[in-house]
Amino acid sequence: MAYAVDSRDGRVGRVMALEDGCVQIRPPGGGVEWDCPPGWIHPAPPTETLRAKMTELNRARRLP
């Protein structure tokens, strides 16, 4: 599971797929995926990766 930063606006998310020439990224904790051109993303730094993972774990705990 890789996390990336969309350089266009600074959003961090989990990389889900490469489709139609764009990288699909999902926000931590779920939500609507967005498309990002491959040239506009870079790997999330360790602090952002940890924050995203914690968000996902907290959301999973709240679900029935």
Side-chain angles (χ1 to χ4, degrees):
M1 185 170 1
Y3 293 88
V5 177
D6 184 337
S7 296
R8 299 173 299 176
D9 56 13
R11 289 185 290 175
V12 175
R14 183 164 33 134
V15 175
M16 303 304 293
L18 177 62
E19 190 169 309
D20 296 328
C22 283
V23 178
Q24 292 184 327
I25 305 172
R26 178 174 291 154
V32 178
E33 295 175 358
W34 75 91
D35 292 336
C36 181
W40 286 94
I41 65 168
H42 61 274
T47 54
E48 291 298 325
T49 298
L50 181 58
R51 182 176 291 136
K53 287 180 179 181
M54 290 303 300
T55 299
E56 290 177 345
L57 286 171
N58 288 334
R59 177 177 162 87
R61 288 184 188 183
R62 289 190 301 261
L63 295 175

